């Protein structure tokens, strides 16, 4: 029963994250930040040159998420990946294992230890791992810069406190994800809220038509 | 064979002569072309960018591919495709409307995207390409404007290579009642007003709201794609089904 329950819960989370297109938001921000770094750091582009247009899929097992990365010679592209997506190299592991790849020498070691599954061209994973290991990006800061509205404000605060507490990298990300999910779950609407929402809608509608009339009057006066 | 004069179709909620729809749709897009990108961001709160990202993610596009971004308008998808297919691939931005193509061409030029993009005026119902030409075809927020959707889907199927895929990104039917109500209110009250205030064109945005409601729902569109010959046809609801991404393959 317990496993059924957690399954239901995770479906709800996935639904909510699907609804808000969270993976797409997060990946688009990471993509933006990495591409800014690429512009400023020609060495990074150079180190990726040999794997231009090769598709790397990274499967994060415990999150049941996969992402694909492509370098087109100038920019990096990051997308969600599906089960049937084609690739030139695929690596699959838990998030904790993947985070240790900051040290490229770990790759073969982790494969030998059966902690990481690799299919396709090993060189692609090694090149990315080597290139990214040199980066030093303050992700919480970056996320706070790109997420605009009130919900993001909350995320920003969460990230900030996590950052200050200097937790290790994997805890940071886990906390981020669970706070995102909590935010999403709050999205479900109660009937009372719906009634209020409808009332507010009516108010807005009245305001809009009042505004429209005033604009019409203004236009007439201008003419 | 003579065309029956009574043949009609929908233009938003209005019933119009089928022969007139294309030019009426053209008028809508001539009149919104200049403000199209601004309105897109405003109306969808920027979320259309995420819907489009998901479309690219599902396209399986890669270096060397030949891609058609049909009803491509101002070229958001074309821009990404052009980078991903590289110098050995090619992207065709196809649209029925010259004003939209012009805005698209200028935008992509300014982004420095040149060399592997063709701009071609075309009607989705009669695509001017030989059989088995493309690896990927996308039509984003375009199909609902097309008069004969079945004919357009058959035409896309014809020019797709075996192994190629079609992606249809389009407004659809929200899954939940509450969302559906909120969305109705938004599109029939706020949207035309925003259209009026920003683009001084409430009629075009009224048309937009109506055309969305007249568009086939998820399962109907899936059936239409299958009828046109597509296989392994699936769809993914985005933002609770306000938008759906349909995918089908030709084998
Ligand atoms: C809402 S815009 C979408 C533009 C772009 N794909 C996007 O997602 O931003 C719809 C486009 O469909 C085009 N269109 C309408 N009917 C068409 C047809 N029969 N054949 C080709 N394009 C058509 C319009 O000119 C317009 O540019």
């Amino acid at each position: 029963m317990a496993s059924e329950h957690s399954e239901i819960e995770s479906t709800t989370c996935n639904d909510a994250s699907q609804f808000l297109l969270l993976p797409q938001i997060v990946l688009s921000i990471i993509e933006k930040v990495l591409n800014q770094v690429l512009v400023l750091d020609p060495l990074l582009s150079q180190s990726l040159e040999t794997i231009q247009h090769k598709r790397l899929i990274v499967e994060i097992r415990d999150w049941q998420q996969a992402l694909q990365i492509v370098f087109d010679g100038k920019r990096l592209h990051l997308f969600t990946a599906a089960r049937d997506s084609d690739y030139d190299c695929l690596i699959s592991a838990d998030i904790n294992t993947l985070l240790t790849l900051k040290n490229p020498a770990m790759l073969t070691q982790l494969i030998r230890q059966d902690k990481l599954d690799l299919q396709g061209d090993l060189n692609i994973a090694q090149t990315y791992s080597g290139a990214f290991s040199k980066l030093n990006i303050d992700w919480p800061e970056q996320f706070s810069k790109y997420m605009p509205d009130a919900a993001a404000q909350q995320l920003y605060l969460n990230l900030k406190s996590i950052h200050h507490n200097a937790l290790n990298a994997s805890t940071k990300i886990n906390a981020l994800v669970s706070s995102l999910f909590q935010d999403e779950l709050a999205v479900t609407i109660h009937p009372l809220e719906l009634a209020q929402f409808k009332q507010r809608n009516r108010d807005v509608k009245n305001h809009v038509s009042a505004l429209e009339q005033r604009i019409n009057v203004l236009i007439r006066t201008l003419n | 064979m003579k065309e029956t004069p009574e043949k009609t179709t929908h233009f938003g909620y209005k019933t119009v002569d089928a022969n007139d729809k294309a030019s009426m749709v053209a008028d809508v897009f001539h009149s919104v072309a200049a403000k199209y990108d601004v309105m897109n961001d405003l109306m969808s709160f920027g979320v259309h960018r995420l819907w489009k990202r998901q479309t690219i993610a599902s396209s399986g596009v890669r270096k060397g591919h030949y891609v058609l971004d049909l009803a491509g308008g101002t070229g958001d998808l074309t821009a990404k495709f052009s980078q991903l297919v590289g110098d050995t691939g090619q992207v065709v931005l196809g649209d029925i409307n010259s004003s939209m193509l012009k805005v698209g061409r200028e935008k992509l030029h300014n982004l420095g995207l040149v060399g592997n993009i063709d701009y071609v005026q075309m009607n989705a119902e009669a695509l001017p390409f030989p059989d088995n030409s493309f690896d990927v075809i996308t039509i984003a927020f375009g199909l609902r404007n097309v008069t004969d959707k079945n004919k357009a889907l058959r035409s896309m199927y014809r020019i797709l290579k075996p192994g190629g895929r079609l992606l249809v990104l389009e407004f659809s039917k929200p899954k939940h009642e509450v969302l559906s109500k909120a969305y109705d209110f938004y599109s029939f009250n706020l949207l035309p007003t925003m259209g009026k205030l920003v683009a001084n064109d409430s009629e075009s945005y009224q048309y937009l709201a109506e055309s969305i409601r007249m568009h086939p729902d998820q399962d109907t569109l899936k059936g239409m794609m299958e009828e046109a010959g597509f296989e392994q046809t699936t769809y993914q609801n985005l933002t609770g089904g306000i938008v759906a991404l349909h995918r089908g393959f030709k084998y």
Side-chain angles (χ1 to χ4, degrees):
Chain A
M1 272 320 269
S3 71
E4 243 174 53
H5 178 69
S6 69
E7 212 177 295
I8 290 167
E9 220 167 50
S10 82
T11 323
T12 320
C13 281
N14 275 337
D15 273 359
S17 109
Q18 239 0 83
F19 180 80
L20 295 174
L21 294 163
L22 269 183
Q24 288 77 359
I25 296 178
V26 171
L27 289 177
S28 75
I29 294 174
I30 298 177
E31 183 185 279
K32 201 172 212 157
V33 175
L34 288 177
N35 281 322
Q36 279 168 356
V37 177
L38 270 175
V39 173
L40 301 172
D41 183 356
L43 282 179
L44 182 61
S45 292
Q46 261 175 36
S47 62
L48 292 172
E49 210 148 84
T50 55
I51 53 162
Q52 260 184 57
H53 287 285
K54 299 277 185 228
R55 291 157 303 161
L56 170 70
I57 290 192
V58 181
E59 196 178 78
I60 309 171
R61 283 184 203 151
D62 41 348
W63 290 3
Q64 291 171 13
Q65 294 278 347
L67 58 105
Q68 44 179 319
I69 308 178
V70 181
F71 178 63
D72 71 11
K74 279 194 193 135
R75 303 159 221 85
L76 280 158
H77 302 266
L78 267 73
F79 302 113
T80 52
R83 207 147 268 189
D84 58 356
S85 303
D86 284 340
Y87 55 83
D88 299 294
C89 175
L90 177 142
I91 54 177
S92 167
D94 286 349
I95 185 69
N96 285 323
T97 312
L98 288 169
L99 287 167
T100 59
L101 285 180
K102 267 209 140 222
N103 174 2
M106 289 297 289
L107 195 58
T108 41
Q109 203 175 317
L110 289 168
I111 296 172
R112 249 182 270 122
Q113 288 169 2
D114 261 348
K115 285 191 175 156
L116 186 140
D117 195 23
L118 185 141
Q119 284 164 42
D121 184 355
L122 170 71
N123 175 253
I124 297 171
Q126 263 170 341
T127 308
Y128 271 112
S129 164
F132 290 156
S133 65
K134 296 187 199 102
L135 298 182
N136 193 7
I137 297 170
D138 185 345
W139 286 109
E141 197 57 43
Q142 293 297 336
F143 268 85
S144 71
K145 218 159 80 188
Y146 288 110
M147 298 195 74
D149 55 22
Q153 193 63 21
Q154 187 58 40
L155 177 64
Y156 172 73
L157 293 174
N158 287 342
L159 281 169
K160 263 208 126 150
S161 69
I162 293 163
H163 187 50
H164 282 308
N165 293 338
L167 296 177
N168 71 43
S170 79
T171 333
K172 268 189 213 174
I173 293 173
N174 282 334
L176 164 61
V177 168
S178 61
S179 80
L180 281 174
F181 284 157
Q182 273 156 22
D183 285 353
E184 287 158 25
L185 292 176
V187 164
T188 334
I189 299 175
H190 186 272
L192 263 176
E193 285 179 306
L194 179 63
Q196 276 178 353
F197 174 74
K198 281 185 177 160
Q199 181 54 44
R200 278 203 297 271
N201 272 348
R202 277 192 285 274
D203 294 347
V204 173
K205 196 175 167 185
N206 290 337
H207 281 138
V208 169
S209 53
L211 184 65
E212 200 178 325
Q213 270 174 13
R214 271 161 59 194
I215 290 170
N216 284 339
V217 172
L218 271 175
I219 292 173
R220 257 179 266 129
T221 347
L222 284 174
N223 289 339
Chain B
M1 226 185 80
K2 253 185 90 189
E3 186 108 32
T4 16
E6 292 86 28
K7 202 171 167 201
T8 59
T9 187
H10 291 290
F11 177 76
Y13 284 171
K14 293 187 196 99
T15 302
V16 299
D17 191 307
N19 297 320
D20 294 340
K21 173 159 170 166
S23 69
M24 293 171 87
V25 170
D27 284 345
V28 167
F29 287 102
H30 280 304
S31 87
V32 301
K35 293 263 169 59
Y36 180 80
D37 283 349
V38 184
M39 282 305 289
N40 242 359
D41 271 337
L42 253 175
M43 291 176 332
S44 73
F45 308 104
V47 178
H48 73 103
R49 291 165 192 270
L50 301 174
W51 296 331
K52 287 173 183 163
R53 284 186 77 86
Q54 193 52 27
T55 308
I56 306 268
S58 305
S59 70
V61 75
R62 63 179 152 86
K63 189 174 163 80
H65 268 173
Y66 197 33
V67 180
L68 171 62
D69 178 11
L70 185 53
T74 57
D76 284 346
L77 288 174
T78 297
K80 267 279 187 192
F81 281 139
S82 142
Q83 295 163 358
L84 288 163
V85 301
D87 50 11
T88 56
Q90 190 75 18
V91 187
V92 178
L93 173 51
D95 202 288
I96 202 167
N97 189 296
S98 58
S99 305
M100 292 293 278
L101 277 176
K102 193 161 161 272
V103 175
R105 184 199 290 260
E106 262 163 40
K107 180 167 95 179
L108 301 187
H109 266 262
N110 292 341
L111 288 171
L113 299 169
V114 282
N116 64 359
I117 306 176
D118 289 329
Y119 300 85
V120 185
Q121 195 167 357
M122 65 181 78
N123 186 341
E125 288 174 31
L127 295 165
F129 301 98
D131 296 359
N132 309 329
S133 301
F134 290 93
D135 298 287
V136 179
I137 301 178
T138 56
I139 178 160
F141 305 113
L143 191 61
R144 69 168 188 282
N145 299 303
V146 174
T147 312
D148 189 339
K149 297 177 184 52
N150 292 313
K151 191 172 171 197
L153 287 169
R154 283 198 301 274
S155 186
M156 291 175 223
Y157 184 81
R158 181 184 64 76
I159 63 166
L160 209 54
K161 286 182 191 166
R165 64 180 92 179
L166 166 70
L167 292 147
V168 182
L169 181 66
E170 191 51 89
F171 290 105
S172 206
K173 200 168 180 300
K175 278 192 303 185
H176 301 293
E177 187 68 6
V178 173
L179 183 61
S180 185
K181 289 254 161 63
Y183 179 53
D184 269 351
F185 172 78
Y186 168 75
S187 36
F188 284 106
N189 295 284
L190 298 183
L191 200 66
T193 309
M194 268 157 72
K196 185 165 188 170
L197 295 179
V198 180
N200 193 20
D201 189 356
S202 62
E203 269 177 34
S204 294
Y205 290 91
Q206 178 76 27
Y207 162 73
L208 171 68
E210 292 177 6
S211 69
I212 289 170
R213 295 312 182 285
M214 297 306 292
H215 189 70
D217 67 13
Q218 285 86 334
D219 288 315
T220 311
L221 179 56
K222 182 171 180 280
M224 287 164 68
M225 285 173 70
E226 279 159 2
E227 203 144 288
F230 289 96
E231 291 177 51
Q232 279 189 25
T233 307
T234 51
Y235 65 82
Q236 183 187 3
N237 283 318
L238 304 174
T239 317
I242 287 181
V243 162
L245 176 61
H246 282 71
R247 187 169 81 165
F249 291 82
K250 171 174 175 178
Y251 290 115

